[in-house]
Amino acid sequence: MASRGGRPEHCGPAELFYDENEARKYVRNSRMIDVQTKMAGRALELLYLPEGQPCFLLDIGCGSGLSGDHLSDEGHYWVGIDISPAMLDAALDRETQGDLFLGDMGQGIPFKPGSFDGCISISAVQWLCSSNKKSDIPAKRLLCFFSSLYSVLVRGARAVLQLYPENSEQLELITTQATRAGFTGGVVVDYPNSTKAKKFYLCLFSGPVTVLPKGLSENPDEDEASESRFTNTRVPFRLERRSLVRKSRAWVLEKKERHRRQGKEVRPDTRYTGRKRKPRF
């Protein structure tokens, strides 16, 4: 949820932002509880789990256990991980049925390979794009997170991560690191024309590429695309770069833009970028 000063991740580390006061809101505020439960239900729907079969799921950024409660109500077993002690304490007070772990997803998911049948996450992944100390490099933390997530899922399982990207560049950074970790999939956008109801769901596949689900819309008959797909194939990008002359201005600009997408520090573009220097005497 947004804070009074803007986006929560701009206010400091998640473990400090989600203190006892914030945790209390997720227990007492009926609107927060309703929104969180609905998003968890939509994420579970996008997982496409076998009907009537209990599954073992991972809830990343489980918070006070609201999304986990929905998983339990649907007959699934779950494990939650969160970086905020206050939120986990609230989950314990609510006597949620899942097992809870304190941990930083940016340092990896600490479970054995092939442990989970699926994964959901509600409003957590965008936190990895913020740097609160010098050692926090968003691209590296995202890659560590997605690589470990790919490992702990059984092959063919899905992960559905609801997130609030700040802009298209941030969303591209997230999907790029997911692809590098081995995932395929895409972004499903529900209610793309609505200001308040618009929601982004990153649907990741750890197995063969399957059909990407359709996003929800206020008008069921409209044909507007509300999803985007990505794969881990790299051939088209190599072919595109092959047409650029090495060391040319276009080649330099493309390389700098690629480094920006990877979260690296790059000097701003100027009229001198890619300009050939005269030889010194």
Side-chain angles (χ1 to χ4, degrees), residues 165-173:
E166 185 173 2
N167 48 49
S168 59
E169 289 77 14
Q170 189 179 95
L171 185 60
E172 184 174 2
L173 173 63

Side-chain angles (χ1 to χ4, degrees), residues 49 51 72 95 99 101 108 120 132 135 140 221 240:
L49 298 172
E51 290 188 14
S72 297
E95 298 182 350
D99 295 323
F101 289 85
I120 69 167
N132 295 296
S135 59
K140 290 186 177 180
D221 297 328
E240 183 178 345

Side-chain angles (χ1 to χ4, degrees), residues 28-259:
R28 299 178 180 177
N29 190 309
S30 59
R31 180 181 175 276
M32 281 188 174
I33 294 174
D34 182 61
V35 171
Q36 195 85 357
T37 302
K38 286 181 178 178
M39 290 191 294
R42 176 60 172 156
L44 184 59
E45 176 186 333
L46 292 172
L47 279 181
Y48 282 88
L49 298 172
E51 290 188 14
Q53 178 179 330
C55 294
F56 190 46
L57 305 177
L58 176 63
D59 183 3
I60 297 174
C62 62
S64 60
L66 295 175
S67 52
D69 285 348
H70 182 79
L71 299 180
S72 297
D73 292 341
E74 294 296 321
H76 300 294
Y77 304 98
W78 61 279
V79 171
I81 182 171
D82 200 280
I83 198 173
S84 167
M87 294 293 275
L88 292 177
D89 286 341
L92 290 173
D93 292 340
R94 296 178 61 252
E95 298 182 350
T96 54
Q97 297 182 26
D99 295 323
L100 305 174
F101 289 85
L102 178 66
D104 178 5
M105 60 181 172
Q107 296 181 358
I109 309 299
F111 297 103
K112 293 182 179 180
S115 297
F116 299 98
D117 301 314
C119 168
I120 69 167
S121 177
I122 307 299
S123 310
V125 177
Q126 69 270 6
W127 282 91
L128 293 178
C129 298
S130 298
S131 300
N132 295 296
K133 49 188 177 182
K134 192 173 182 179
S135 59
D136 286 348
I137 302 175
K140 290 186 177 180
R141 285 171 58 79
L142 283 164
L143 182 59
C144 179
F145 164 66
F146 284 121
S147 297
S148 59
L149 177 60
Y150 188 89
S151 174
V152 302
L153 293 175
V154 299
R155 291 291 74 83
R158 295 187 179 197
V160 177
L161 316 176
Q162 185 276 328
L163 69 160
Y164 291 105
E166 185 173 2
N167 48 49
S168 59
E169 289 77 14
Q170 189 179 95
L171 185 60
E172 184 174 2
L173 173 63
I174 293 171
T175 56
T176 297
Q177 301 310 311
T179 304
R180 289 184 63 190
F183 284 109
T184 57
V187 179
V188 175
V189 184
D190 284 352
Y191 307 110
N193 297 320
S194 173
T195 303
K196 294 184 178 180
K198 186 177 183 179
K199 295 290 184 294
F200 292 83
Y201 294 89
L202 181 61
C203 298
L204 303 175
F205 310 141
S206 63
V209 179
T210 58
V211 177
L212 191 65
K214 294 287 186 181
L216 301 180
S217 174
E218 296 175 352
N219 182 6
D221 297 328
E222 67 181 9
D223 295 328
E224 181 176 350
S226 53
E227 67 280 330
S228 60
R229 174 184 294 277
F230 61 84
T231 68
N232 54 9
T233 178
R234 300 177 64 86
V235 176
F237 299 100
R238 288 177 178 171
L239 293 175
E240 183 178 345
R241 290 208 300 268
R242 211 174 281 171
S243 62
L244 299 176
V245 178
R246 187 174 176 82
K247 301 295 184 179
S248 66
R249 176 177 172 81
W251 182 88
V252 173
L253 291 174
E254 192 277 336
K255 184 177 180 180
K256 293 178 70 174
E257 185 61 30
R258 190 167 70 253
H259 284 183

